């Protein structure tokens, strides 16, 4: 007798068990034939025949006969009575031998009741299989079930029972209990199968509806497209916006918001109160460029050439821009810090943004922030407000038409706060490379990627820019132009442009370099070239009048050979130093020049202003009094403190002159009293002026100085050194004392200015007073 080991198979007496032929021969051996008797044993764990031992089997099995080995690939084993397994032997060839005795069932099940319940089970199974595609064929098999064990054996592969639960059914001696357990298992399976079938049917219906709807929509879209192409003038607004939304390339969140607004337009109709606002919103979001532009490799030589052609000088600024372009070429994306250009008006901060856009082959957008005091100007208004508009940032993106323009945020230092919020704080997200890839404008209410925008900010001073905003930017200072640089800028850019604006050609006005130098030195007072541009515009307008007058005069002379030849020649307007005032229609500006003579108590100082550098004089005088100190010239608190420190230093260095301070009042004055003055750089100038006064030793007016001083006499660093040295050179100063800590700043000073000045770095006030010959008379 062959032994057939099974695992996780429902083995019941008086039933049929179905196997695939290949799997059956792997378990029972190839030398088994139809009619062979077998003993079916149940394995405790899943094992191969090589792993099986006597302890691998449960103690109860079942006898059976191989009833059929079909050529269609299946084997049927008909089981008989249960058996008790007394001994199992597994030899070296892994053959299994068993010693068994029959195990009797407890026949406590009423045959009539069993027949009735089996009929109900078969009825339930027939109802269940009617839900499936092959239900009619399965009903035939169900009708042939003669016992509940046979029904359970056929359905056993779908039961969710463990191996132990399946064996427990075989282990059950009571035919009634076994019947009840099988009945419960079949009914549970039947109900689960019904629910699963219903769910699948419902899901299938949903799928069919979705497929049907999708097919209908495709047909409608196709027909609508055909009609739109035949009659483009009749395309509805809703249809136009649908196309725009699909073709815009916007992200999923933006597409959902735009589609929601479009559905409101469709539902409310064109005559609703909100239709205008909704149409404006759809126009704006569909007009934006949502697609990322492909990175472009920029030729550094070409970029350098463009910057040089458009702007003269600015070596440091151009080098930084070329560095930025090189990094972008390597990373194939926007990279680096946000640049903020700081300098005097007219130094080219805004105009160089156009050159950057040209060098990068990008669109240029300028956003003026001067006077902005509402956060909504940056982030936009929420659409719940009447007259809501997008912020200036997104409005600039919309005007550019691309997602990667060069955007110049002009006058960022002129932002202010109000009860409507702080626009500077709103810029934090715009200018932070870690955040601006999902910038959300309140009007749009969806994120937009600003990471590809090349932001450039401009400012005249850093004092009014909040530190959190300034920390996100890299400061690049624009120094004032030297006279020679202004001359080149005027010749290359300003004068040709001024001629073109009034309709004159370059040969119509004769303007020499000497005259241009005079305009620069006597008719402008600035670090930039904005005032120079105004002077040249005025000159060209007046030249245009003279040009027309000369043409009219020539045309009114009676014609002869000489006048005809003269008329054919165009007049040339001559501009000389002598008639320059007539062309500029103004007096020459009074510049502070070094004084012709020296006087004790008067010293030349240097100051920084928003339009560049300037020299100023510190004047001191003793008058009869009681030791008071009088300060005039509209000085700020810092300069007043400097004057007090200067007086204390002089009193400590010249104790023998203490009586002068006790019996006289010290008057300190800085001329041009209507102009407010303040700043930490007049300390050594005031100290030297008071020391000159008490010793009676004059300081040559062509010697200037700048630097703050402490009570210890230490000279500390100052700012604006390039502008101050240019002002000194322009005014005729020959020697300048500067703080030693500012030596590194000399790199930013033009070479021609450094060559014309004798620059002396000092660490203490004693060095200054000794160099001027004041201390030796103690």
């Amino acid at each position: 007798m062959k032994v057939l080991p099974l695992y996780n198979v429902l083995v019941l007496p008086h039933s049929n068990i179905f196997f695939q032929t290949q799997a059956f021969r792997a378990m029972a051996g190839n030398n088994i034939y139809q009619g062979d008797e077998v003993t079916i044993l149940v394995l405790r764990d899943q094992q191969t025949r090589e792993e099986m031992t006597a302890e691998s089997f449960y103690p109860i099995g079942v006898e059976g006969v191989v009833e059929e080995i079909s050529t269609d690939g299946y084997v049927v084993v008909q089981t008989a009575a249960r058996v008790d397994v007394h001994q199992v032997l597994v030899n070296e060839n892994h053959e299994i031998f068993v010693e068994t005795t029959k195990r009797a069932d407890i026949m406590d099940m009423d045959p009539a009741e069993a027949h009735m319940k089996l009929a109900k089970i078969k009825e339930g199974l027939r109802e269940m299989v009617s839900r499936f595609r092959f239900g009619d064929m399965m009903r035939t098999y169900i009708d042939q079930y003669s016992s509940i064990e046979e029904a359970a054996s056929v359905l056993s592969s779908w039961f969710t029972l463990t191996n132990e639960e399946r064996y427990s059914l075989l282990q059950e001696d009571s035919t009634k209990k076994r019947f009840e357990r099988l009945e419960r298992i079949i009914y549970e399976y039947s109900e689960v199968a019904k629910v699963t079938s219903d769910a699948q049917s419902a899901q299938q219906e949903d799928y069919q509806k979705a497929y049907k709807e999708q097919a209908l929509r495709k047909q409608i879209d196709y027909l609508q497209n055909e009609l739109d192409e035949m009659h483009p003038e009749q395309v509805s607004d809703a249809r136009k916006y649908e196309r725009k939304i699909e073709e815009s390339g916007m992200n999923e969140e933006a597409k959902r918001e735009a589609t929601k607004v479009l559905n409101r337009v469709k539902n409310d109709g064109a005559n609703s109160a909100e239709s205008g606002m909704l149409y404006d919103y759809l126009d704006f979001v569909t007009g934006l460029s949502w697609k990322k532009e492909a990175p472009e490799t920029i030729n550094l030589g070409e970029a350098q050439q463009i910057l040089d052609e458009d702007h003269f000088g600015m070596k440091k600024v151009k080098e930084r821009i070329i560095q930025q372009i090189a990094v972008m070429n390597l990373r194939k994306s926007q990279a680096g810090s946000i640049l903020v250009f700081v300098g005097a008006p007219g130094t080219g901060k805004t105009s160089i943004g156009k050159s950057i856009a040209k060098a990068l082959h990008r669109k240029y957008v300028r956003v003026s922030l001067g006077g902005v005091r509402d956060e909504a100007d940056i982030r936009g208004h929420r659409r719940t407000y009447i007259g809501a508009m997008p912020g200036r940032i997104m409005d600039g993106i919309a005007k550019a038409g691309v997602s990667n323009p060069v955007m110049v945020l002009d006058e960022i230092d002129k932002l202010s706060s109000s009860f409507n919020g702080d626009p500077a704080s709103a810029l934090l997200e715009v200018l932070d490379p870690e955040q601006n890839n999902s910038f959300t404008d309140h009007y749009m209410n969806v994120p937009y990627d600003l990471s590809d925008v090349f932001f450039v900010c401009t400012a005249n001073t850093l004092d009014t820019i909040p530190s959190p905003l300034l920390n996100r930017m890299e400061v690049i200072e624009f120094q004032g132009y030297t006279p020679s640089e202004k001359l080149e800028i005027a010749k290359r850019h300003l004068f040709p442009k001024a001629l073109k604006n009034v309709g004159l050609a370059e040969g119509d006005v004769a303007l020499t370099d000497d005259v241009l130098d005079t305009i620069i030195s006597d008719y402008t007072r600035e670090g930039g070239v904005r005032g120079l541009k105004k002077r040249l515009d005025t000159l060209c307008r007046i030249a245009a009048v003279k040009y027309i007058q000369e043409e009219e005069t020539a045309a009114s002379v009676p014609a002869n050979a000489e006048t005809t030849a003269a008329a054919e020649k165009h007049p040339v307007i001559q501009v000389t130093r002598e008639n320059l005032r007539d062309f500029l229609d103004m007096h020459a500006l009074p510049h502070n020049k070094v004084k012709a003579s020296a006087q004790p108590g008067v010293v030349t100082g240097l100051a920084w202003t928003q339009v560049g550098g300037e020299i100023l004089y510190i004047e001191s005088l003793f008058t009869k009094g009681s030791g008071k100190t009088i300060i005039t010239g509209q000085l700020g608190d810092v300069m007043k403190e400097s004057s007090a420190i200067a007086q204390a230093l002089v009193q400590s260095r010249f104790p023998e002159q203490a009586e002068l301070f006790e019996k006289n009042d010290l008057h300190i004055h800085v001329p041009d009293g209507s102009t407010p003055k303040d700043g930490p750089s007049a300390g050594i100038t005031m100290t030297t002026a008071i020391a000159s006064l008490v010793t009676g030793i004059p300081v040559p007016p062509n010697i200037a100085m700048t630097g703050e001083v402490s009570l210890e006499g230490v000279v500390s660093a100052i700012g604006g050194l390039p502008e101050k040295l240019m002002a000194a050179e322009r005014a005729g100063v020959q020697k300048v004392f500067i703080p030693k800590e500012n030596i590194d700043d000399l790199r930013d000073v033009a070479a021609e200015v450094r060559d014309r000045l004798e620059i002396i770095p000092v660490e203490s006030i004693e060095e200054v007073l000794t160099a001027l010959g004041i201390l030796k008379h103690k």
Side-chain angles (χ1 to χ4, degrees):
M1 179 179 291
K2 294 286 186 179
V3 175
L4 182 62
L6 298 180
Y7 176 78
N8 203 29
V9 176
L10 183 59
V11 179
L12 295 172
H14 312 296
S15 63
N16 293 327
I17 304 177
F18 296 85
F19 302 93
Q20 290 183 349
T21 302
Q22 185 176 359
F24 179 79
R25 292 192 180 277
M27 292 183 290
N30 292 324
N31 55 348
I32 192 165
Y33 304 97
Q34 184 174 346
D36 287 352
E37 294 182 352
V38 295
T39 300
I40 300 175
L41 299 182
V42 180
L43 285 165
R44 297 179 184 272
D45 299 300
Q46 188 169 10
Q47 294 177 333
T48 62
R49 183 174 282 270
E50 289 76 12
E51 297 172 335
M52 296 177 188
T53 64
E55 290 74 26
S56 299
F57 306 96
Y58 284 110
I60 298 176
V62 67
E63 294 178 338
V65 176
V66 179
E67 183 170 315
E68 182 180 0
I69 300 179
S70 173
T71 56
D72 295 335
Y74 66 91
V75 175
V76 180
V77 175
Q78 185 177 28
T79 62
R82 298 181 302 152
V83 294
D84 288 322
V85 179
H86 299 296
Q87 186 176 3
V88 177
L89 178 64
V90 181
N91 65 14
E92 296 178 353
N93 296 325
H94 308 293
E95 295 177 327
I96 305 173
F97 301 94
V98 295
E99 180 182 337
T100 63
T101 58
K102 291 186 181 297
R103 184 181 181 92
D105 289 335
I106 300 175
M107 306 300 294
D108 53 355
M109 181 67 183
D110 182 17
E113 182 183 1
H115 181 75
M116 182 184 65
K117 287 186 175 182
L118 178 61
K120 290 184 178 180
I121 290 173
K122 291 166 67 174
E123 182 181 351
L125 291 174
R126 283 193 291 267
E127 194 274 332
M128 179 196 72
V129 299
S130 64
R131 303 167 184 263
F132 299 100
R133 183 182 301 177
F134 303 105
D136 292 339
M137 183 176 67
M138 296 174 67
R139 288 167 66 103
T140 303
Y141 291 108
I142 293 171
D143 291 339
Q144 297 175 1
Y145 296 157
S146 59
S147 68
I148 193 169
E149 287 85 359
E150 186 176 351
S153 295
V154 174
L155 300 174
S156 64
S157 59
W158 289 285
F159 292 161
T160 57
L161 300 175
T162 64
N163 184 61
E164 290 76 12
E165 290 172 335
R166 293 174 188 269
Y167 173 74
S168 67
L169 291 168
L170 177 64
Q171 191 180 22
E172 182 61 58
D173 294 332
S174 170
T175 56
K176 183 175 183 180
K177 290 181 180 179
R178 188 191 307 153
F179 190 100
E180 291 174 350
R181 290 180 62 186
L182 289 173
E183 181 184 29
R184 184 172 64 252
I185 291 171
I186 292 173
Y187 276 131
E188 286 178 357
Y189 159 73
S190 178
E191 292 302 319
V192 170
K194 289 178 184 179
V195 172
T196 303
S197 175
D198 292 343
Q200 290 177 345
S201 298
Q203 187 177 25
Q204 189 66 27
E205 290 179 4
D206 292 341
Y207 286 157
Q208 289 177 350
K209 288 181 181 178
Y211 296 149
K212 183 177 181 180
E213 181 179 357
Q214 187 176 6
L216 291 173
R217 288 189 180 279
K218 285 185 177 180
Q219 293 182 12
I220 292 173
D221 289 342
Y222 175 78
L223 296 174
Q224 187 64 55
N225 288 334
E226 291 291 320
L227 288 173
D228 292 346
E229 291 179 3
M230 293 174 63
H231 303 286
E233 72 284 354
Q234 297 180 4
V235 178
S236 66
D237 290 338
R239 181 63 183 167
K240 290 178 182 178
Y241 285 123
E242 284 179 358
R243 284 183 174 180
K244 289 181 178 180
I245 292 172
E246 291 299 325
E247 297 170 359
S248 64
M250 62 179 64
N251 57 58
E252 290 301 320
E253 188 172 349
K255 186 177 291 186
R256 285 196 300 270
E257 182 71 15
T259 303
K260 183 175 74 173
V261 173
L262 179 59
N263 290 336
R264 286 185 61 187
V265 171
K266 292 178 181 178
N267 295 333
D268 297 346
N271 296 324
S272 69
E274 292 185 332
S275 63
M277 181 270 291
L278 298 177
Y279 278 129
D280 289 343
Y281 176 79
L282 291 172
D283 279 332
F284 183 78
V285 295
T286 57
L288 289 173
S289 175
W290 293 87
K291 300 174 182 176
K292 291 181 74 71
E293 303 293 333
E296 181 179 357
T297 300
I298 306 300
N299 185 283
L300 295 186
E302 178 188 351
Q304 184 71 58
Q305 182 180 355
I306 291 173
L307 295 174
D308 290 339
E309 287 177 354
D310 293 350
H311 296 273
F312 184 79
M314 296 186 182
K315 180 180 178 182
K316 184 177 179 181
V317 177
K318 293 176 183 176
E319 287 178 351
R320 180 61 184 84
I321 294 169
I322 293 298
Q323 293 168 10
Q324 188 94 339
I325 295 174
V327 173
M328 291 167 59
N329 279 347
L330 292 174
R331 293 190 55 181
K332 305 299 182 185
S333 65
Q334 178 68 33
S337 306
I338 306 298
L339 305 181
V340 55
F341 298 154
V342 181
T347 51
K349 301 184 299 298
T350 303
S351 60
I352 201 170
K354 292 184 179 179
S355 301
I356 294 174
K358 190 193 300 184
L360 292 175
H361 304 155
R362 295 192 184 186
K363 297 285 188 178
Y364 168 78
V365 180
R366 175 180 171 270
V367 177
S368 178
L369 299 179
V372 170
R373 54 188 178 87
D374 190 347
E375 181 185 353
D377 283 334
I378 305 299
R379 287 191 175 275
H381 303 83
R382 299 191 184 278
R383 298 200 306 275
T384 52
Y385 297 103
I386 296 176
M389 295 185 300
R392 298 195 182 195
I393 304 299
M394 293 310 305
D395 184 60
I397 296 293
K399 290 178 180 177
V402 293
S403 61
N404 65 339
V406 174
M407 181 174 290
V408 175
L409 303 180
D410 215 4
E411 308 292 355
I412 198 171
D413 58 325
K414 307 299 190 300
L415 292 170
S416 59
S417 300
S418 70
F419 63 89
N420 290 322
D422 183 8
S425 298
L427 279 176
L428 294 176
E429 182 183 0
V430 176
L431 299 181
D432 192 337
E434 301 298 326
Q435 302 181 43
N436 63 9
N437 58 351
S438 58
F439 173 71
T440 301
D441 185 279
H442 288 162
Y443 179 78
M444 293 172 56
N445 199 32
V446 292
Y448 187 88
D449 188 357
L450 294 177
S451 61
D452 287 340
V453 180
F454 193 112
F455 285 105
V456 175
C457 305
T458 70
N460 295 130
T461 178
L462 300 177
D463 297 342
T464 57
I465 302 178
S467 57
L469 182 59
L470 190 60
N471 288 338
R472 285 166 168 78
M473 300 184 289
E474 179 181 350
V475 178
I476 298 179
E477 294 188 359
F478 275 57
Q479 311 296 346
Y481 295 110
T482 64
S484 61
E485 289 176 332
K486 291 182 180 179
L487 176 63
E488 290 296 328
I489 293 171
K491 290 166 60 178
R492 298 184 186 190
H493 303 288
L494 301 182
F495 186 53
K497 186 176 181 180
L499 288 173
K500 182 180 179 181
N501 289 340
V502 299
L504 294 174
E506 289 190 17
D508 294 338
V509 178
L511 188 65
T512 64
D513 290 357
D514 185 50
V515 176
L516 276 173
D517 279 332
T518 304
I519 297 175
I520 292 169
S521 61
D522 296 345
Y523 290 87
T524 62
R525 183 188 294 172
E526 58 179 349
V529 292
R530 189 168 294 168
L532 177 59
K533 178 182 180 297
K534 293 177 182 178
R535 302 291 91 79
L536 293 175
D537 287 343
T538 302
L539 184 148
C540 289
R541 288 196 299 270
I542 295 177
V545 174
K546 294 182 179 295
Y547 185 88
I548 295 298
Q549 289 175 344
E550 290 192 15
E551 279 193 334
E552 291 175 349
T553 301
S556 64
V557 176
N560 55 44
E562 292 183 0
T563 58
T564 302
E568 291 177 353
K569 293 178 62 178
H570 293 288
V572 177
I573 308 302
Q574 298 290 335
V575 182
T576 64
R577 296 182 67 177
E578 287 72 22
N579 64 6
L580 182 59
R581 178 177 173 183
D582 297 332
F583 278 92
L584 296 181
D585 193 26
M586 64 179 292
H587 293 284
L589 296 174
H591 276 287
N592 287 339
K593 296 288 185 180
V594 294
K595 297 183 177 182
S597 59
Q599 181 180 343
V602 180
V603 178
T604 306
L606 300 175
W608 179 91
T609 67
Q610 289 192 353
V611 295
E614 191 60 85
I615 69 168
L616 54 80
Y617 295 101
I618 304 295
E619 301 176 348
S620 59
L621 181 68
F622 277 129
T623 59
K624 287 294 183 180
S626 57
K628 294 186 298 183
T629 301
I630 302 169
I631 302 174
T632 57
Q634 201 171 348
L635 305 185
D637 292 337
V638 176
M639 290 190 72
K640 290 179 180 178
E641 291 178 359
S642 296
S643 66
I645 294 172
Q647 184 176 347
L649 282 171
V650 172
Q651 288 177 333
S652 66
R653 270 41 173 196
F654 302 92
E656 68 277 8
Q657 305 292 345
E659 189 176 349
L660 286 174
F661 291 96
E662 296 172 358
K663 295 183 177 180
N664 297 280
D665 292 338
L666 175 62
H667 190 161
I668 301 174
H669 177 66
V670 183
D672 193 11
S674 62
T675 304
K677 311 169 193 70
D678 200 12
S681 62
I684 64 171
T685 312
M686 288 186 171
T687 305
T688 305
I690 299 172
S692 172
L693 178 65
V694 299
T695 60
I697 300 175
V699 177
N702 59 0
I703 297 177
M705 57 194 68
T706 181
E708 192 51 272
V709 67
S710 68
L711 277 175
E712 296 177 338
V714 177
V715 178
S716 56
I718 45 87
L721 183 65
E723 290 85 354
K724 292 177 179 180
L725 293 183
M726 278 191 281
E729 185 272 334
R730 183 174 61 237
V733 172
Q734 297 177 358
K735 182 186 295 185
V736 180
F737 292 97
I738 68 169
K740 195 169 184 178
E741 295 180 14
N742 286 105
I743 290 179
D744 288 342
D745 295 334
L746 292 175
R747 294 182 302 175
D748 299 330
V749 180
E752 62 182 276
V753 174
R754 295 199 306 266
D755 294 341
R756 294 176 184 175
L757 292 174
E758 180 185 354
I759 302 172
I760 305 174
V762 294
E763 291 183 287
S764 65
I765 190 64
E766 283 82 4
E767 293 181 41
V768 179
L769 299 179
T770 301
L772 295 173
I774 297 177
L775 274 180
K776 68 180 180 178
H777 289 82
K778 287 184 60 177

